[in-house]
Amino acid sequence: MTDAVWKRVEEILTSDTFKWFVAFRHPKEIWENHRPYLILEISLLFFALLTFKHAWRSGGRFLYLWFATILHGLVVESLSYFVPDIDNFWHAQSMVMFLGKRLPLHVVVLYPVFIYTAVATVSRLRLKSWAEPFAAGLAVVLLDVPFDIIGIKFLFWTWHDTDPSIFDRHYWVPWTSYYFHAAFTSSFVILFFGTRHLLCNSPSKYEADGFLKEMVCTLLTGLLAMPLGVIQFLPLYHPLHDMFNIHTEVCVMLFLTIYMATAWIADRNPTSNARSSSPGALDELGLLITLHFLSYILLVAFESPELIKSEGIHQRTGNCSSMSPVHTAFGQVLSRQTYLCTSDYDEGYFDFHCVSGAKPPADGLDWYTICGNAFANKLEYMIVVFAFSILGLVVYRQFLICSGKQPVGKTSRSLANDRQKKKKN
Protein backbone atom coordinates (compact mmCIF):
# COMPACT_ATOMS: atom_id res chain seq x y z
CA MET A 1 0.00 0.00 0.00
CA THR A 2 2.77 2.41 0.95
CA ASP A 3 4.73 1.59 -2.21
CA ALA A 4 1.66 2.20 -4.36
CA VAL A 5 0.98 5.57 -2.74
CA TRP A 6 4.60 6.65 -3.11
CA LYS A 7 4.64 5.53 -6.74
CA ARG A 8 1.54 7.63 -7.41
CA VAL A 9 3.09 10.65 -5.69
CA GLU A 10 6.25 10.19 -7.76
CA GLU A 11 4.19 10.05 -10.96
CA ILE A 12 2.49 13.31 -10.06
CA LEU A 13 5.75 15.05 -9.19
CA THR A 14 7.37 14.00 -12.46
CA SER A 15 4.34 14.75 -14.67
CA ASP A 16 4.43 17.54 -17.21
CA THR A 17 1.43 19.21 -15.54
CA PHE A 18 3.19 19.44 -12.18
CA LYS A 19 6.40 20.69 -13.81
CA TRP A 20 4.37 23.37 -15.59
CA PHE A 21 2.72 24.43 -12.35
CA VAL A 22 5.91 24.56 -10.25
CA ALA A 23 9.61 24.25 -11.08
CA PHE A 24 12.72 24.56 -8.96
CA ARG A 25 16.21 25.92 -9.50
CA HIS A 26 19.26 25.32 -7.35
CA PRO A 27 20.30 28.48 -5.45
CA LYS A 28 23.97 27.71 -6.16
CA GLU A 29 23.36 28.17 -9.89
CA ILE A 30 21.66 31.52 -9.28
CA TRP A 31 24.48 32.63 -6.97
CA GLU A 32 27.11 31.85 -9.60
CA ASN A 33 25.34 33.55 -12.51
CA HIS A 34 22.89 36.03 -11.04
CA ARG A 35 23.95 36.85 -7.48
CA PRO A 36 21.96 40.09 -6.97
CA TYR A 37 18.80 38.23 -7.97
CA LEU A 38 19.28 35.58 -5.28
CA ILE A 39 19.91 38.31 -2.71
CA LEU A 40 16.71 40.05 -3.78
CA GLU A 41 14.73 36.81 -3.74
CA ILE A 42 15.77 35.84 -0.22
CA SER A 43 15.24 39.41 1.00
CA LEU A 44 11.67 39.54 -0.30
CA LEU A 45 10.81 36.18 1.27
CA PHE A 46 12.10 37.48 4.59
CA PHE A 47 10.23 40.77 4.19
CA ALA A 48 7.03 38.84 3.47
CA LEU A 49 7.46 36.94 6.73
CA LEU A 50 7.82 40.27 8.53
CA THR A 51 4.56 41.55 7.04
CA PHE A 52 2.75 38.34 7.95
CA LYS A 53 4.10 38.50 11.50
CA HIS A 54 2.86 42.09 11.73
CA ALA A 55 -0.56 41.09 10.40
CA TRP A 56 -0.80 38.14 12.79
CA ARG A 57 0.22 40.27 15.76
CA SER A 58 -2.14 43.10 14.81
CA GLY A 59 -5.12 40.80 14.22
CA GLY A 60 -8.51 41.97 13.00
CA ARG A 61 -8.66 42.95 9.34
CA PHE A 62 -4.88 43.17 9.04
CA LEU A 63 -4.74 39.42 8.38
CA TYR A 64 -7.43 39.71 5.71
CA LEU A 65 -5.55 42.65 4.23
CA TRP A 66 -2.44 40.46 3.94
CA PHE A 67 -4.24 37.63 2.16
CA ALA A 68 -6.06 40.08 -0.12
CA THR A 69 -2.70 41.37 -1.36
CA ILE A 70 -1.64 37.80 -2.20
CA LEU A 71 -4.83 37.19 -4.17
CA HIS A 72 -4.49 40.53 -5.93
CA GLY A 73 -0.92 39.68 -6.91
CA LEU A 74 -1.92 36.28 -8.31
CA VAL A 75 -4.67 37.89 -10.39
CA VAL A 76 -2.40 40.62 -11.77
CA GLU A 77 0.51 38.33 -12.56
CA SER A 78 -1.44 35.43 -14.08
CA LEU A 79 -3.54 37.68 -16.31
CA SER A 80 -0.41 39.53 -17.41
CA TYR A 81 1.11 36.28 -18.71
CA PHE A 82 -1.94 34.95 -20.53
CA VAL A 83 -3.64 38.05 -21.97
CA PRO A 84 -1.64 38.82 -25.15
CA ASP A 85 -2.15 42.60 -25.07
CA ILE A 86 -0.47 42.94 -21.65
CA ASP A 87 2.03 40.09 -21.91
CA ASN A 88 5.08 42.35 -22.10
CA PHE A 89 7.56 41.32 -19.38
CA TRP A 90 9.43 38.20 -18.33
CA HIS A 91 10.83 37.42 -14.89
CA ALA A 92 14.25 35.84 -14.40
CA GLN A 93 14.32 32.26 -13.14
CA SER A 94 14.29 32.04 -9.34
CA MET A 95 14.48 29.15 -6.87
CA VAL A 96 10.73 28.46 -7.15
CA MET A 97 8.79 29.22 -10.33
CA PHE A 98 5.08 28.76 -11.10
CA LEU A 99 2.84 28.81 -14.19
CA GLY A 100 5.22 27.56 -16.85
CA LYS A 101 8.27 29.22 -15.26
CA ARG A 102 6.70 32.66 -15.59
CA LEU A 103 5.87 33.49 -11.95
CA PRO A 104 8.58 33.50 -9.24
CA LEU A 105 7.52 32.78 -5.67
CA HIS A 106 9.13 35.99 -4.43
CA VAL A 107 6.98 38.02 -6.85
CA VAL A 108 3.85 36.51 -5.28
CA VAL A 109 4.94 37.80 -1.88
CA LEU A 110 6.13 41.12 -3.32
CA TYR A 111 2.51 42.30 -3.20
CA PRO A 112 2.13 42.13 0.58
CA VAL A 113 5.66 43.51 0.96
CA PHE A 114 4.64 46.58 -1.03
CA ILE A 115 0.89 46.99 -0.57
CA TYR A 116 0.43 45.66 2.96
CA THR A 117 3.39 47.70 4.19
CA ALA A 118 2.10 50.86 2.54
CA VAL A 119 -1.50 50.49 3.76
CA ALA A 120 -0.49 49.57 7.32
CA THR A 121 1.92 52.48 7.64
CA VAL A 122 -0.37 55.05 6.00
CA SER A 123 -3.14 53.99 8.41
CA ARG A 124 -1.21 55.80 11.16
CA LEU A 125 -1.88 59.12 9.43
CA ARG A 126 -5.62 58.66 10.14
CA LEU A 127 -6.55 60.27 6.83
CA LYS A 128 -10.10 60.65 5.60
CA SER A 129 -11.38 57.69 3.61
CA TRP A 130 -11.39 59.75 0.39
CA ALA A 131 -7.64 60.47 0.71
CA GLU A 132 -6.17 57.29 2.20
CA PRO A 133 -6.13 55.29 -1.07
CA PHE A 134 -4.08 57.99 -2.80
CA ALA A 135 -1.58 58.22 0.06
CA ALA A 136 -1.17 54.43 -0.02
CA GLY A 137 -0.61 54.54 -3.77
CA LEU A 138 2.15 57.10 -3.36
CA ALA A 139 3.68 55.07 -0.52
CA VAL A 140 3.95 52.04 -2.81
CA VAL A 141 5.56 54.13 -5.54
CA LEU A 142 8.22 55.19 -3.01
CA LEU A 143 8.98 51.51 -2.32
CA ASP A 144 8.97 50.71 -6.01
CA VAL A 145 11.20 53.35 -7.62
CA PRO A 146 14.62 52.04 -6.45
CA PHE A 147 13.33 48.46 -6.80
CA ASP A 148 12.38 49.05 -10.44
CA ILE A 149 15.61 50.87 -11.31
CA ILE A 150 17.82 48.20 -9.76
CA GLY A 151 15.58 45.37 -10.97
CA ILE A 152 15.81 46.09 -14.67
CA LYS A 153 19.51 47.02 -14.56
CA PHE A 154 20.34 43.73 -12.82
CA LEU A 155 18.05 41.69 -15.10
CA PHE A 156 15.51 40.67 -12.47
CA TRP A 157 13.12 40.82 -15.43
CA THR A 158 13.07 42.09 -19.03
CA TRP A 159 10.54 44.18 -20.95
CA HIS A 160 9.04 43.87 -24.42
CA ASP A 161 11.20 45.91 -26.77
CA THR A 162 8.54 47.80 -28.73
CA ASP A 163 5.30 47.64 -26.75
CA PRO A 164 3.81 51.17 -26.94
CA SER A 165 2.50 51.13 -23.36
CA ILE A 166 6.01 50.65 -21.95
CA PHE A 167 8.05 52.37 -24.65
CA ASP A 168 8.85 55.55 -22.68
CA ARG A 169 11.46 54.71 -20.03
CA HIS A 170 13.12 56.13 -16.91
CA TYR A 171 16.49 54.37 -16.46
CA TRP A 172 14.95 51.56 -18.56
CA VAL A 173 11.91 51.46 -16.26
CA PRO A 174 8.63 52.10 -18.11
CA TRP A 175 7.02 55.25 -16.78
CA THR A 176 3.74 53.36 -16.75
CA SER A 177 5.15 51.09 -14.02
CA TYR A 178 4.86 53.96 -11.53
CA TYR A 179 1.35 54.78 -12.79
CA PHE A 180 0.45 51.09 -12.44
CA HIS A 181 1.62 50.83 -8.82
CA ALA A 182 -0.20 53.98 -7.72
CA ALA A 183 -3.44 53.18 -9.57
CA PHE A 184 -3.66 49.51 -8.61
CA THR A 185 -2.82 50.18 -4.95
CA SER A 186 -5.38 52.95 -4.57
CA SER A 187 -7.99 50.73 -6.26
CA PHE A 188 -7.09 47.93 -3.87
CA VAL A 189 -7.56 50.21 -0.84
CA ILE A 190 -10.85 51.61 -2.16
CA LEU A 191 -12.24 48.09 -2.55
CA PHE A 192 -10.85 46.66 0.67
CA PHE A 193 -12.42 49.35 2.84
CA GLY A 194 -15.36 50.07 0.53
CA THR A 195 -16.63 46.48 0.61
CA ARG A 196 -16.29 46.52 4.40
CA HIS A 197 -18.44 49.67 4.52
CA LEU A 198 -21.13 47.92 2.46
CA LEU A 199 -21.06 44.45 4.01
CA CYS A 200 -19.74 44.71 7.56
CA ASN A 201 -21.04 46.26 10.78
CA SER A 202 -17.78 46.73 12.65
CA PRO A 203 -17.40 50.24 14.11
CA SER A 204 -13.76 50.57 13.07
CA LYS A 205 -12.27 49.92 9.62
CA TYR A 206 -9.66 47.48 10.97
CA GLU A 207 -12.02 45.47 13.19
CA ALA A 208 -13.00 42.13 11.67
CA ASP A 209 -16.70 41.34 11.42
CA GLY A 210 -16.96 37.61 10.99
CA PHE A 211 -15.08 35.19 8.78
CA LEU A 212 -17.61 34.90 5.95
CA LYS A 213 -18.11 38.64 5.53
CA GLU A 214 -14.39 39.30 5.64
CA MET A 215 -13.67 36.57 3.11
CA VAL A 216 -16.18 38.11 0.72
CA CYS A 217 -14.45 41.47 1.13
CA THR A 218 -11.06 39.82 0.61
CA LEU A 219 -12.16 37.97 -2.53
CA LEU A 220 -13.84 41.01 -4.07
CA THR A 221 -10.77 43.14 -3.39
CA GLY A 222 -8.32 40.59 -4.79
CA LEU A 223 -10.38 39.98 -7.92
CA LEU A 224 -11.57 43.52 -8.74
CA ALA A 225 -8.62 45.74 -7.81
CA MET A 226 -6.94 45.11 -11.15
CA PRO A 227 -9.90 46.08 -13.39
CA LEU A 228 -10.55 49.14 -11.22
CA GLY A 229 -6.88 50.06 -11.54
CA VAL A 230 -7.09 49.71 -15.32
CA ILE A 231 -10.04 52.12 -15.32
CA GLN A 232 -7.77 54.78 -13.79
CA PHE A 233 -5.72 54.73 -17.00
CA LEU A 234 -8.76 55.85 -19.01
CA PRO A 235 -9.30 59.52 -18.12
CA LEU A 236 -5.66 60.61 -18.25
CA TYR A 237 -3.07 58.24 -19.69
CA HIS A 238 -4.81 56.76 -22.72
CA PRO A 239 -6.23 59.98 -24.22
CA LEU A 240 -3.04 61.98 -23.64
CA HIS A 241 -0.58 59.26 -24.65
CA ASP A 242 -2.48 57.29 -27.30
CA MET A 243 -4.42 60.10 -28.96
CA PHE A 244 -2.13 63.11 -28.59
CA ASN A 245 1.27 61.37 -28.39
CA ILE A 246 2.19 63.06 -25.11
CA HIS A 247 5.22 61.48 -23.44
CA THR A 248 4.31 59.03 -20.67
CA GLU A 249 6.49 60.95 -18.19
CA VAL A 250 4.08 63.90 -18.44
CA CYS A 251 1.06 61.64 -17.91
CA VAL A 252 2.63 60.00 -14.87
CA MET A 253 3.68 63.28 -13.30
CA LEU A 254 0.17 64.71 -13.74
CA PHE A 255 -1.33 61.56 -12.26
CA LEU A 256 0.99 61.48 -9.23
CA THR A 257 0.51 65.22 -8.69
CA ILE A 258 -3.24 64.65 -8.33
CA TYR A 259 -2.49 61.89 -5.82
CA MET A 260 -0.06 64.07 -3.86
CA ALA A 261 -2.39 67.06 -3.77
CA THR A 262 -5.27 64.90 -2.53
CA ALA A 263 -3.21 63.30 0.24
CA TRP A 264 -1.63 66.62 1.24
CA ILE A 265 -4.96 68.44 1.47
CA ALA A 266 -6.32 65.72 3.76
CA ASP A 267 -3.22 65.75 5.94
CA ARG A 268 -3.37 69.54 6.40
CA ASN A 269 -6.16 69.12 8.96
CA PRO A 270 -5.17 66.02 10.94
CA THR A 271 -7.29 64.45 13.64
CA SER A 272 -6.06 64.49 17.23
CA ASN A 273 -4.84 60.88 17.04
CA ALA A 274 -2.94 61.38 13.77
CA ARG A 275 0.12 62.81 15.49
CA SER A 276 2.19 61.23 18.20
CA SER A 277 3.18 63.19 21.28
CA SER A 278 6.25 60.96 21.64
CA PRO A 279 8.30 59.11 19.01
CA GLY A 280 7.01 55.63 18.27
CA ALA A 281 9.09 52.48 18.25
CA LEU A 282 10.11 50.61 15.13
CA ASP A 283 8.32 47.29 14.59
CA GLU A 284 8.41 44.63 11.87
CA LEU A 285 7.50 47.20 9.23
CA GLY A 286 10.22 49.55 10.40
CA LEU A 287 12.80 46.77 10.05
CA LEU A 288 11.44 45.92 6.61
CA ILE A 289 11.63 49.51 5.39
CA THR A 290 15.18 49.96 6.66
CA LEU A 291 16.47 46.77 5.04
CA HIS A 292 14.47 47.35 1.86
CA PHE A 293 16.07 50.67 0.99
CA LEU A 294 19.47 49.73 2.39
CA SER A 295 19.63 46.69 0.09
CA TYR A 296 19.35 48.86 -3.05
CA ILE A 297 22.04 51.22 -1.78
CA LEU A 298 24.37 48.25 -1.29
CA LEU A 299 23.50 46.60 -4.60
CA VAL A 300 24.11 49.70 -6.71
CA ALA A 301 27.34 50.43 -4.84
CA PHE A 302 28.97 46.99 -4.84
CA GLU A 303 27.42 44.72 -7.49
CA SER A 304 28.43 44.62 -11.17
CA PRO A 305 25.60 44.06 -13.68
CA GLU A 306 28.05 43.19 -16.47
CA LEU A 307 28.84 39.90 -14.68
CA ILE A 308 25.23 38.69 -14.80
CA LYS A 309 24.06 35.79 -16.97
CA SER A 310 20.31 35.34 -17.04
CA GLU A 311 19.13 32.14 -18.69
CA GLY A 312 15.39 31.76 -18.93
CA ILE A 313 12.23 32.92 -20.67
CA HIS A 314 12.55 36.21 -22.54
CA GLN A 315 10.78 37.87 -25.46
CA ARG A 316 10.61 35.39 -28.34
CA THR A 317 13.08 36.13 -31.13
CA GLY A 318 11.97 36.24 -34.73
CA ASN A 319 11.17 38.19 -37.90
CA CYS A 320 11.93 41.89 -37.44
CA SER A 321 9.10 42.97 -39.75
CA SER A 322 6.32 40.96 -38.09
CA MET A 323 3.83 43.19 -36.24
CA SER A 324 1.03 42.43 -33.76
CA PRO A 325 -1.96 44.56 -32.68
CA VAL A 326 -2.21 45.93 -29.14
CA HIS A 327 -5.75 46.67 -27.93
CA THR A 328 -5.87 49.38 -25.28
CA ALA A 329 -8.45 49.84 -22.52
CA PHE A 330 -9.48 53.04 -24.34
CA GLY A 331 -10.57 51.00 -27.36
CA GLN A 332 -7.72 51.92 -29.66
CA VAL A 333 -5.62 49.43 -31.60
CA LEU A 334 -1.88 50.15 -31.53
CA SER A 335 0.92 47.92 -32.77
CA ARG A 336 4.23 46.42 -31.69
CA GLN A 337 6.82 44.07 -33.14
CA THR A 338 5.78 40.48 -32.58
CA TYR A 339 9.30 39.28 -31.85
CA LEU A 340 12.56 40.59 -30.47
CA CYS A 341 14.68 41.69 -33.41
CA THR A 342 18.13 40.63 -32.22
CA SER A 343 19.87 42.69 -34.89
CA ASP A 344 18.00 45.91 -34.04
CA TYR A 345 16.63 46.25 -30.52
CA ASP A 346 16.72 49.05 -27.96
CA GLU A 347 17.08 47.43 -24.54
CA GLY A 348 20.41 48.84 -23.40
CA TYR A 349 20.52 46.90 -20.14
CA PHE A 350 21.39 43.58 -21.83
CA ASP A 351 23.25 42.08 -24.76
CA PHE A 352 24.85 38.71 -25.60
CA HIS A 353 28.53 39.31 -24.86
CA CYS A 354 28.74 36.47 -22.30
CA VAL A 355 27.47 33.67 -24.56
CA SER A 356 29.65 31.61 -26.87
CA GLY A 357 30.88 33.79 -29.72
CA ALA A 358 28.81 36.70 -28.38
CA LYS A 359 26.11 35.62 -30.85
CA PRO A 360 22.44 36.42 -30.29
CA PRO A 361 19.99 33.51 -30.17
CA ALA A 362 18.45 32.13 -33.33
CA ASP A 363 14.93 33.12 -34.37
CA GLY A 364 12.00 31.30 -32.81
CA LEU A 365 13.43 30.98 -29.28
CA ASP A 366 11.98 32.26 -26.00
CA TRP A 367 14.45 30.43 -23.74
CA TYR A 368 17.96 31.79 -24.06
CA THR A 369 20.74 33.56 -22.16
CA ILE A 370 21.15 37.32 -21.93
CA CYS A 371 24.05 39.23 -20.38
CA GLY A 372 24.00 42.30 -18.18
CA ASN A 373 25.70 45.51 -19.28
CA ALA A 374 27.97 47.72 -17.18
CA PHE A 375 26.73 51.05 -15.83
CA ALA A 376 27.16 53.76 -18.43
CA ASN A 377 27.66 56.14 -15.50
CA LYS A 378 27.78 54.34 -12.16
CA LEU A 379 27.96 57.55 -10.13
CA GLU A 380 24.72 58.74 -11.70
CA TYR A 381 22.99 55.47 -10.86
CA MET A 382 24.31 55.67 -7.31
CA ILE A 383 23.05 59.22 -6.86
CA VAL A 384 19.59 58.34 -8.21
CA VAL A 385 19.18 55.15 -6.16
CA PHE A 386 20.66 56.74 -3.03
CA ALA A 387 18.35 59.76 -3.38
CA PHE A 388 15.14 57.75 -3.79
CA SER A 389 16.15 55.35 -1.00
CA ILE A 390 16.91 58.16 1.43
CA LEU A 391 13.66 59.88 0.48
CA GLY A 392 11.81 56.63 1.17
CA LEU A 393 13.48 56.24 4.55
CA VAL A 394 12.63 59.82 5.54
CA VAL A 395 8.97 59.58 4.46
CA TYR A 396 8.38 56.19 6.05
CA ARG A 397 10.01 57.41 9.25
CA GLN A 398 7.33 60.09 9.37
CA PHE A 399 4.66 57.42 8.87
CA LEU A 400 6.00 54.98 11.45
CA ILE A 401 7.53 57.13 14.16
CA CYS A 402 6.13 60.65 13.90
CA SER A 403 2.48 59.83 13.17
CA GLY A 404 -0.28 58.36 15.32
CA LYS A 405 -0.53 54.87 16.69
CA GLN A 406 -1.60 51.99 14.47
CA PRO A 407 -5.39 51.52 14.42
CA VAL A 408 -6.80 48.72 16.54
CA GLY A 409 -7.04 45.45 14.63
CA LYS A 410 -9.10 43.31 16.98
CA THR A 411 -12.27 41.48 16.05
CA SER A 412 -15.56 43.06 17.00
CA ARG A 413 -16.23 40.24 19.46
CA SER A 414 -12.92 40.68 21.29
CA LEU A 415 -13.52 44.43 21.52
CA ALA A 416 -16.95 43.83 23.00
CA ASN A 417 -15.39 41.53 25.57
CA ASP A 418 -12.84 44.23 26.42
CA ARG A 419 -15.61 46.77 26.97
CA GLN A 420 -17.50 44.38 29.25
CA LYS A 421 -14.37 43.78 31.33
CA LYS A 422 -13.87 47.52 31.74
CA LYS A 423 -17.49 47.97 32.87
CA LYS A 424 -17.10 45.23 35.46
CA ASN A 425 -13.94 46.83 36.81
Side-chain angles (χ1 to χ4, degrees), residues 29-334:
E29 180 185 352
I30 308 175
W31 180 260
E32 292 174 348
N33 296 297
H34 207 166
R35 183 171 61 190
Y37 192 52
L38 183 63
I39 295 171
L40 179 278
E41 182 179 358
I42 295 173
S43 298
L44 284 176
L45 294 174
F46 175 65
F47 295 161
L49 287 176
L50 289 177
T51 59
F52 184 78
K53 182 177 181 297
H54 181 274
W56 183 270
R57 179 175 60 82
S58 301
R61 300 198 79 220
F62 283 96
L63 267 176
Y64 295 101
L65 171 65
W66 195 90
F67 284 108
T69 61
I70 292 288
L71 178 58
H72 170 59
L74 290 173
V75 170
V76 171
E77 294 294 324
S78 57
L79 287 178
S80 297
Y81 307 146
F82 303 116
V83 176
D85 290 325
I86 56 176
D87 183 14
N88 56 19
F89 64 95
W90 297 267
H91 291 290
Q93 300 297 299
S94 67
M95 290 186 289
V96 183
M97 299 292 296
F98 299 103
L99 305 182
K101 298 185 177 182
R102 291 295 303 271
L103 175 60
L105 173 61
H106 69 267
V107 171
V108 176
V109 300
L110 172 71
Y111 285 81
V113 171
F114 276 19
I115 299 178
Y116 178 90
T117 300
V119 176
T121 52
V122 166
S123 70
R124 304 187 186 200
L125 298 177
R126 306 300 178 100
L127 297 174
K128 300 292 185 181
S129 58
W130 51 265
E132 189 173 27
F134 304 103
L138 292 172
V140 167
V141 172
L142 271 178
L143 293 172
D144 174 67
V145 172
F147 171 77
D148 260 358
I149 293 174
I150 288 294
I152 191 61
K153 185 59 184 175
F154 287 89
L155 304 186
F156 296 170
W157 56 83
T158 53
W159 295 103
H160 192 288
D161 184 43
T162 58
D163 190 299
S165 64
I166 59 172
F167 188 77
D168 297 329
R169 307 288 181 92
H170 169 249
Y171 291 94
W172 299 110
V173 179
W175 279 101
T176 44
S177 178
Y178 307 134
Y179 198 118
F180 155 81
H181 281 288
F184 279 40
T185 299
S186 65
S187 298
F188 178 94
V189 176
I190 290 170
L191 286 167
F192 185 73
F193 293 115
T195 53
R196 171 224 160 240
H197 180 74
L198 293 174
L199 302 176
C200 301
N201 299 316
S202 55
S204 174
K205 63 197 303 183
Y206 281 100
E207 295 175 30
D209 186 27
F211 176 77
L212 290 179
K213 289 182 180 179
E214 295 295 347
M215 283 305 299
V216 171
C217 294
T218 299
L219 290 172
L220 289 175
T221 301
L223 295 174
L224 300 180
M226 180 180 180
L228 185 57
V230 171
I231 290 174
Q232 291 197 49
F233 280 77
L234 297 181
L236 188 65
Y237 170 76
H238 283 300
L240 293 182
H241 176 268
D242 299 346
M243 298 176 63
F244 298 104
N245 296 316
I246 293 176
H247 196 281
T248 310
E249 178 183 5
V250 177
C251 304
V252 173
M253 289 303 166
L254 286 173
F255 186 68
L256 295 183
T257 298
I258 295 171
Y259 271 49
M260 284 187 281
T262 305
W264 180 73
I265 290 170
D267 196 50
R268 288 289 293 164
N269 296 296
T271 59
S272 59
N273 57 356
R275 298 292 184 267
S276 176
S277 57
S278 59
L282 288 178
D283 57 6
E284 300 93 341
L285 300 184
L287 176 60
L288 184 158
I289 292 298
T290 303
L291 295 177
H292 173 79
F293 289 114
L294 181 61
S295 64
Y296 303 124
I297 291 174
L298 295 176
L299 285 175
V300 75
F302 297 109
E303 288 293 338
S304 302
E306 67 271 21
L307 301 180
I308 293 173
K309 296 180 181 180
S310 177
E311 180 183 5
I313 298 177
H314 306 291
Q315 183 180 352
R316 181 178 288 272
T317 58
N319 189 336
C320 298
S321 60
S322 177
M323 304 296 290
S324 296
V326 178
H327 301 84
T328 72
F330 204 62
Q332 289 185 288
V333 180
L334 308 178

